[in-house]
PDB file of all heavy atoms in Angstrom:
ATOM      1  N   LYS A 104       6.490  49.207  65.001  1.00  0.00           N
ATOM      2  CA  LYS A 104       6.913  50.002  63.835  1.00  0.00           C
ATOM      3  C   LYS A 104       8.434  50.132  63.798  1.00  0.00           C
ATOM      4  O   LYS A 104       9.059  49.969  62.753  1.00  0.00           O
ATOM      5  CB  LYS A 104       6.286  51.400  63.873  1.00  0.00           C
ATOM      6  CG  LYS A 104       4.828  51.423  63.537  1.00  0.00           C
ATOM      7  CD  LYS A 104       4.304  52.852  63.623  1.00  0.00           C
ATOM      8  CE  LYS A 104       2.789  52.882  63.506  1.00  0.00           C
ATOM      9  NZ  LYS A 104       2.256  54.235  63.716  1.00  0.00           N
ATOM     10  N   ILE A 105       9.011  50.447  64.949  1.00  0.00           N
ATOM     11  CA  ILE A 105      10.461  50.630  65.016  1.00  0.00           C
ATOM     12  C   ILE A 105      11.185  49.299  64.767  1.00  0.00           C
ATOM     13  O   ILE A 105      12.161  49.237  64.016  1.00  0.00           O
ATOM     14  CB  ILE A 105      10.870  51.234  66.379  1.00  0.00           C
ATOM     15  CG1 ILE A 105      10.297  52.651  66.523  1.00  0.00           C
ATOM     16  CG2 ILE A 105      12.372  51.228  66.565  1.00  0.00           C
ATOM     17  CD1 ILE A 105      10.845  53.675  65.559  1.00  0.00           C
ATOM     18  N   TYR A 106      10.704  48.243  65.390  1.00  0.00           N
ATOM     19  CA  TYR A 106      11.299  46.912  65.183  1.00  0.00           C
ATOM     20  C   TYR A 106      11.227  46.517  63.714  1.00  0.00           C
ATOM     21  O   TYR A 106      12.227  46.082  63.120  1.00  0.00           O
ATOM     22  CB  TYR A 106      10.578  45.874  66.054  1.00  0.00           C
ATOM     23  CG  TYR A 106      10.973  44.454  65.755  1.00  0.00           C
ATOM     24  CD1 TYR A 106      12.184  43.946  66.211  1.00  0.00           C
ATOM     25  CD2 TYR A 106      10.159  43.615  65.010  1.00  0.00           C
ATOM     26  CE1 TYR A 106      12.568  42.639  65.931  1.00  0.00           C
ATOM     27  CE2 TYR A 106      10.536  42.312  64.717  1.00  0.00           C
ATOM     28  CZ  TYR A 106      11.735  41.829  65.182  1.00  0.00           C
ATOM     29  OH  TYR A 106      12.109  40.547  64.897  1.00  0.00           O
ATOM     30  N   ASN A 107      10.066  46.678  63.102  1.00  0.00           N
ATOM     31  CA  ASN A 107       9.904  46.329  61.684  1.00  0.00           C
ATOM     32  C   ASN A 107      10.816  47.170  60.789  1.00  0.00           C
ATOM     33  O   ASN A 107      11.362  46.664  59.808  1.00  0.00           O
ATOM     34  CB  ASN A 107       8.449  46.452  61.247  1.00  0.00           C
ATOM     35  CG  ASN A 107       7.590  45.319  61.781  1.00  0.00           C
ATOM     36  OD1 ASN A 107       8.089  44.250  62.110  1.00  0.00           O
ATOM     37  ND2 ASN A 107       6.307  45.568  61.902  1.00  0.00           N
ATOM     38  N   GLU A 108      10.992  48.439  61.140  1.00  0.00           N
ATOM     39  CA  GLU A 108      11.903  49.289  60.372  1.00  0.00           C
ATOM     40  C   GLU A 108      13.331  48.779  60.488  1.00  0.00           C
ATOM     41  O   GLU A 108      14.078  48.758  59.507  1.00  0.00           O
ATOM     42  CB  GLU A 108      11.816  50.740  60.839  1.00  0.00           C
ATOM     43  CG  GLU A 108      12.735  51.685  60.105  1.00  0.00           C
ATOM     44  CD  GLU A 108      12.419  51.871  58.627  1.00  0.00           C
ATOM     45  OE1 GLU A 108      11.303  51.529  58.184  1.00  0.00           O
ATOM     46  OE2 GLU A 108      13.302  52.375  57.902  1.00  0.00           O
ATOM     47  N   PHE A 109      13.723  48.358  61.684  1.00  0.00           N
ATOM     48  CA  PHE A 109      15.065  47.800  61.889  1.00  0.00           C
ATOM     49  C   PHE A 109      15.257  46.565  61.019  1.00  0.00           C
ATOM     50  O   PHE A 109      16.255  46.430  60.308  1.00  0.00           O
ATOM     51  CB  PHE A 109      15.284  47.478  63.367  1.00  0.00           C
ATOM     52  CG  PHE A 109      16.668  47.013  63.711  1.00  0.00           C
ATOM     53  CD1 PHE A 109      17.697  47.924  63.896  1.00  0.00           C
ATOM     54  CD2 PHE A 109      16.949  45.669  63.847  1.00  0.00           C
ATOM     55  CE1 PHE A 109      18.980  47.507  64.216  1.00  0.00           C
ATOM     56  CE2 PHE A 109      18.221  45.232  64.170  1.00  0.00           C
ATOM     57  CZ  PHE A 109      19.247  46.151  64.357  1.00  0.00           C
ATOM     58  N   VAL A 110      14.292  45.653  61.064  1.00  0.00           N
ATOM     59  CA  VAL A 110      14.363  44.425  60.267  1.00  0.00           C
ATOM     60  C   VAL A 110      14.416  44.759  58.776  1.00  0.00           C
ATOM     61  O   VAL A 110      15.248  44.218  58.033  1.00  0.00           O
ATOM     62  CB  VAL A 110      13.177  43.494  60.595  1.00  0.00           C
ATOM     63  CG1 VAL A 110      13.105  42.334  59.596  1.00  0.00           C
ATOM     64  CG2 VAL A 110      13.278  42.977  62.020  1.00  0.00           C
ATOM     65  N   ASN A 111      13.538  45.635  58.316  1.00  0.00           N
ATOM     66  CA  ASN A 111      13.484  45.990  56.894  1.00  0.00           C
ATOM     67  C   ASN A 111      14.761  46.673  56.432  1.00  0.00           C
ATOM     68  O   ASN A 111      15.259  46.418  55.334  1.00  0.00           O
ATOM     69  CB  ASN A 111      12.259  46.859  56.596  1.00  0.00           C
ATOM     70  CG  ASN A 111      10.969  46.093  56.741  1.00  0.00           C
ATOM     71  OD1 ASN A 111      10.929  44.871  56.585  1.00  0.00           O
ATOM     72  ND2 ASN A 111       9.898  46.796  57.059  1.00  0.00           N
ATOM     73  N   TYR A 112      15.277  47.570  57.263  1.00  0.00           N
ATOM     74  CA  TYR A 112      16.511  48.270  56.917  1.00  0.00           C
ATOM     75  C   TYR A 112      17.656  47.264  56.782  1.00  0.00           C
ATOM     76  O   TYR A 112      18.444  47.333  55.839  1.00  0.00           O
ATOM     77  CB  TYR A 112      16.827  49.321  57.980  1.00  0.00           C
ATOM     78  CG  TYR A 112      17.936  50.251  57.587  1.00  0.00           C
ATOM     79  CD1 TYR A 112      17.685  51.375  56.800  1.00  0.00           C
ATOM     80  CD2 TYR A 112      19.243  50.017  57.999  1.00  0.00           C
ATOM     81  CE1 TYR A 112      18.702  52.241  56.433  1.00  0.00           C
ATOM     82  CE2 TYR A 112      20.273  50.874  57.648  1.00  0.00           C
ATOM     83  CZ  TYR A 112      19.990  51.987  56.870  1.00  0.00           C
ATOM     84  OH  TYR A 112      21.010  52.834  56.506  1.00  0.00           O
ATOM     85  N   MET A 113      17.747  46.341  57.729  1.00  0.00           N
ATOM     86  CA  MET A 113      18.784  45.308  57.662  1.00  0.00           C
ATOM     87  C   MET A 113      18.604  44.446  56.414  1.00  0.00           C
ATOM     88  O   MET A 113      19.573  44.095  55.749  1.00  0.00           O
ATOM     89  CB  MET A 113      18.757  44.431  58.906  1.00  0.00           C
ATOM     90  CG  MET A 113      19.254  45.123  60.141  1.00  0.00           C
ATOM     91  SD  MET A 113      20.985  45.599  59.987  1.00  0.00           S
ATOM     92  CE  MET A 113      21.556  45.256  61.632  1.00  0.00           C
ATOM     93  N   HIS A 114      17.370  44.121  56.111  1.00  0.00           N
ATOM     94  CA  HIS A 114      17.093  43.297  54.926  1.00  0.00           C
ATOM     95  C   HIS A 114      17.536  44.000  53.653  1.00  0.00           C
ATOM     96  O   HIS A 114      18.018  43.349  52.714  1.00  0.00           O
ATOM     97  CB  HIS A 114      15.610  42.947  54.858  1.00  0.00           C
ATOM     98  CG  HIS A 114      15.316  41.909  53.826  1.00  0.00           C
ATOM     99  ND1 HIS A 114      14.945  42.234  52.549  1.00  0.00           N
ATOM    100  CD2 HIS A 114      15.364  40.548  53.884  1.00  0.00           C
ATOM    101  CE1 HIS A 114      14.765  41.125  51.858  1.00  0.00           C
ATOM    102  NE2 HIS A 114      15.024  40.093  52.652  1.00  0.00           N
ATOM    103  N   ASN A 115      17.400  45.313  53.602  1.00  0.00           N
ATOM    104  CA  ASN A 115      17.847  46.074  52.428  1.00  0.00           C
ATOM    105  C   ASN A 115      19.362  46.121  52.313  1.00  0.00           C
ATOM    106  O   ASN A 115      19.895  46.319  51.223  1.00  0.00           O
ATOM    107  CB  ASN A 115      17.292  47.497  52.464  1.00  0.00           C
ATOM    108  CG  ASN A 115      15.810  47.530  52.175  1.00  0.00           C
ATOM    109  OD1 ASN A 115      15.272  46.660  51.502  1.00  0.00           O
ATOM    110  ND2 ASN A 115      15.127  48.519  52.724  1.00  0.00           N
ATOM    111  N   LYS A 116      20.058  45.944  53.431  1.00  0.00           N
ATOM    112  CA  LYS A 116      21.519  45.985  53.426  1.00  0.00           C
ATOM    113  C   LYS A 116      22.142  44.603  53.211  1.00  0.00           C
ATOM    114  O   LYS A 116      23.244  44.498  52.697  1.00  0.00           O
ATOM    115  CB  LYS A 116      22.051  46.576  54.738  1.00  0.00           C
ATOM    116  CG  LYS A 116      21.648  48.011  54.978  1.00  0.00           C
ATOM    117  CD  LYS A 116      22.313  48.905  53.957  1.00  0.00           C
ATOM    118  CE  LYS A 116      21.965  50.359  54.204  1.00  0.00           C
ATOM    119  NZ  LYS A 116      22.511  51.233  53.148  1.00  0.00           N
ATOM    120  N   THR A 117      21.449  43.567  53.659  1.00  0.00           N
ATOM    121  CA  THR A 117      21.936  42.204  53.486  1.00  0.00           C
ATOM    122  C   THR A 117      20.735  41.283  53.396  1.00  0.00           C
ATOM    123  O   THR A 117      19.767  41.437  54.127  1.00  0.00           O
ATOM    124  CB  THR A 117      22.857  41.765  54.636  1.00  0.00           C
ATOM    125  OG1 THR A 117      23.246  40.410  54.424  1.00  0.00           O
ATOM    126  CG2 THR A 117      22.209  41.894  55.990  1.00  0.00           C
ATOM    127  N   LYS A 118      20.802  40.330  52.516  1.00  0.00           N
ATOM    128  CA  LYS A 118      19.694  39.388  52.348  1.00  0.00           C
ATOM    129  C   LYS A 118      19.821  38.208  53.306  1.00  0.00           C
ATOM    130  O   LYS A 118      18.942  37.364  53.383  1.00  0.00           O
ATOM    131  CB  LYS A 118      19.622  38.865  50.905  1.00  0.00           C
ATOM    132  CG  LYS A 118      19.456  39.967  49.889  1.00  0.00           C
ATOM    133  CD  LYS A 118      18.191  40.774  50.119  1.00  0.00           C
ATOM    134  CE  LYS A 118      18.038  41.852  49.080  1.00  0.00           C
ATOM    135  NZ  LYS A 118      17.310  42.997  49.512  1.00  0.00           N
ATOM    136  N   LEU A 119      20.916  38.137  54.057  1.00  0.00           N
ATOM    137  CA  LEU A 119      21.169  37.017  54.966  1.00  0.00           C
ATOM    138  C   LEU A 119      20.552  37.305  56.326  1.00  0.00           C
ATOM    139  O   LEU A 119      21.243  37.408  57.329  1.00  0.00           O
ATOM    140  CB  LEU A 119      22.680  36.784  55.087  1.00  0.00           C
ATOM    141  CG  LEU A 119      23.418  36.502  53.791  1.00  0.00           C
ATOM    142  CD1 LEU A 119      24.916  36.466  54.006  1.00  0.00           C
ATOM    143  CD2 LEU A 119      22.926  35.208  53.167  1.00  0.00           C
ATOM    144  N   ILE A 120      19.238  37.419  56.357  1.00  0.00           N
ATOM    145  CA  ILE A 120      18.551  37.846  57.563  1.00  0.00           C
ATOM    146  C   ILE A 120      17.297  37.024  57.799  1.00  0.00           C
ATOM    147  O   ILE A 120      16.584  36.671  56.868  1.00  0.00           O
ATOM    148  CB  ILE A 120      18.204  39.359  57.496  1.00  0.00           C
ATOM    149  CG1 ILE A 120      17.461  39.806  58.753  1.00  0.00           C
ATOM    150  CG2 ILE A 120      17.430  39.685  56.259  1.00  0.00           C
ATOM    151  CD1 ILE A 120      17.246  41.310  58.817  1.00  0.00           C
ATOM    152  N   LYS A 121      17.069  36.732  59.069  1.00  0.00           N
ATOM    153  CA  LYS A 121      15.832  36.109  59.516  1.00  0.00           C
ATOM    154  C   LYS A 121      15.371  36.905  60.728  1.00  0.00           C
ATOM    155  O   LYS A 121      16.169  37.562  61.388  1.00  0.00           O
ATOM    156  CB  LYS A 121      16.082  34.652  59.938  1.00  0.00           C
ATOM    157  CG  LYS A 121      16.764  33.795  58.882  1.00  0.00           C
ATOM    158  CD  LYS A 121      15.792  32.939  58.146  1.00  0.00           C
ATOM    159  CE  LYS A 121      16.414  32.188  56.996  1.00  0.00           C
ATOM    160  NZ  LYS A 121      17.200  31.045  57.299  1.00  0.00           N
ATOM    161  N   SER A 122      14.090  36.833  61.030  1.00  0.00           N
ATOM    162  CA  SER A 122      13.608  37.585  62.181  1.00  0.00           C
ATOM    163  C   SER A 122      12.456  36.855  62.848  1.00  0.00           C
ATOM    164  O   SER A 122      11.715  36.117  62.193  1.00  0.00           O
ATOM    165  CB  SER A 122      13.167  38.991  61.773  1.00  0.00           C
ATOM    166  OG  SER A 122      12.095  38.928  60.864  1.00  0.00           O
ATOM    167  N   GLY A 123      12.339  37.102  64.147  1.00  0.00           N
ATOM    168  CA  GLY A 123      11.212  36.579  64.894  1.00  0.00           C
ATOM    169  C   GLY A 123      10.005  37.478  64.669  1.00  0.00           C
ATOM    170  O   GLY A 123      10.125  38.624  64.241  1.00  0.00           O
ATOM    171  N   GLN A 124       8.850  36.946  64.954  1.00  0.00           N
ATOM    172  CA  GLN A 124       7.626  37.728  64.818  1.00  0.00           C
ATOM    173  C   GLN A 124       7.452  38.575  66.061  1.00  0.00           C
ATOM    174  O   GLN A 124       7.519  38.076  67.188  1.00  0.00           O
ATOM    175  CB  GLN A 124       6.431  36.808  64.619  1.00  0.00           C
ATOM    176  CG  GLN A 124       5.193  37.525  64.187  1.00  0.00           C
ATOM    177  CD  GLN A 124       4.145  36.542  63.689  1.00  0.00           C
ATOM    178  OE1 GLN A 124       4.211  35.353  63.956  1.00  0.00           O
ATOM    179  NE2 GLN A 124       3.175  37.051  62.967  1.00  0.00           N
ATOM    180  N   PHE A 125       7.220  39.875  65.871  1.00  0.00           N
ATOM    181  CA  PHE A 125       7.108  40.799  66.989  1.00  0.00           C
ATOM    182  C   PHE A 125       6.012  40.336  67.957  1.00  0.00           C
ATOM    183  O   PHE A 125       4.899  40.006  67.547  1.00  0.00           O
ATOM    184  CB  PHE A 125       6.774  42.212  66.476  1.00  0.00           C
ATOM    185  CG  PHE A 125       6.683  43.227  67.568  1.00  0.00           C
ATOM    186  CD1 PHE A 125       7.816  43.902  67.989  1.00  0.00           C
ATOM    187  CD2 PHE A 125       5.480  43.502  68.197  1.00  0.00           C
ATOM    188  CE1 PHE A 125       7.744  44.835  69.015  1.00  0.00           C
ATOM    189  CE2 PHE A 125       5.401  44.429  69.218  1.00  0.00           C
ATOM    190  CZ  PHE A 125       6.532  45.098  69.616  1.00  0.00           C
ATOM    191  N   GLY A 126       6.353  40.300  69.236  1.00  0.00           N
ATOM    192  CA  GLY A 126       5.377  39.992  70.274  1.00  0.00           C
ATOM    193  C   GLY A 126       5.052  38.516  70.453  1.00  0.00           C
ATOM    194  O   GLY A 126       4.257  38.163  71.317  1.00  0.00           O
ATOM    195  N   SER A 127       5.663  37.650  69.649  1.00  0.00           N
ATOM    196  CA  SER A 127       5.336  36.227  69.784  1.00  0.00           C
ATOM    197  C   SER A 127       6.153  35.616  70.919  1.00  0.00           C
ATOM    198  O   SER A 127       7.231  36.086  71.270  1.00  0.00           O
ATOM    199  CB  SER A 127       5.593  35.486  68.472  1.00  0.00           C
ATOM    200  OG  SER A 127       6.948  35.535  68.124  1.00  0.00           O
ATOM    201  N   ASN A 128       5.636  34.558  71.495  1.00  0.00           N
ATOM    202  CA  ASN A 128       6.297  33.853  72.588  1.00  0.00           C
ATOM    203  C   ASN A 128       7.058  32.678  71.985  1.00  0.00           C
ATOM    204  O   ASN A 128       6.485  31.627  71.750  1.00  0.00           O
ATOM    205  CB  ASN A 128       5.266  33.391  73.621  1.00  0.00           C
ATOM    206  CG  ASN A 128       5.922  32.852  74.862  1.00  0.00           C
ATOM    207  OD1 ASN A 128       7.110  33.032  75.087  1.00  0.00           O
ATOM    208  ND2 ASN A 128       5.147  32.148  75.680  1.00  0.00           N
ATOM    209  N   ILE A 129       8.344  32.883  71.726  1.00  0.00           N
ATOM    210  CA  ILE A 129       9.151  31.873  71.056  1.00  0.00           C
ATOM    211  C   ILE A 129      10.269  31.424  71.986  1.00  0.00           C
ATOM    212  O   ILE A 129      10.522  32.028  73.016  1.00  0.00           O
ATOM    213  CB  ILE A 129       9.768  32.435  69.754  1.00  0.00           C
ATOM    214  CG1 ILE A 129      10.644  33.657  70.058  1.00  0.00           C
ATOM    215  CG2 ILE A 129       8.707  32.765  68.739  1.00  0.00           C
ATOM    216  CD1 ILE A 129      11.419  34.186  68.876  1.00  0.00           C
ATOM    217  N   GLU A 130      10.925  30.368  71.581  1.00  0.00           N
ATOM    218  CA  GLU A 130      12.144  29.927  72.250  1.00  0.00           C
ATOM    219  C   GLU A 130      13.309  30.260  71.329  1.00  0.00           C
ATOM    220  O   GLU A 130      13.227  30.072  70.117  1.00  0.00           O
ATOM    221  CB  GLU A 130      12.118  28.426  72.509  1.00  0.00           C
ATOM    222  CG  GLU A 130      11.079  28.024  73.542  1.00  0.00           C
ATOM    223  CD  GLU A 130      11.078  26.521  73.797  1.00  0.00           C
ATOM    224  OE1 GLU A 130      11.777  25.764  73.095  1.00  0.00           O
ATOM    225  OE2 GLU A 130      10.360  26.118  74.729  1.00  0.00           O
TER     226      GLU A 130
END
Side-chain angles (χ1 to χ4, degrees):
K104 286 179 189 175
I105 295 294
Y106 171 77
N107 286 337
E108 179 65 17
F109 185 81
V110 170
N111 292 334
Y112 190 84
M113 288 297 219
H114 190 267
N115 288 333
K116 297 293 182 185
T117 178
K118 302 301 181 208
L119 303 173
I120 179 173
K121 306 260 174 77
S122 62
Q124 192 166 18
F125 182 88
S127 63
N128 189 14
I129 59 173
E130 292 180 353

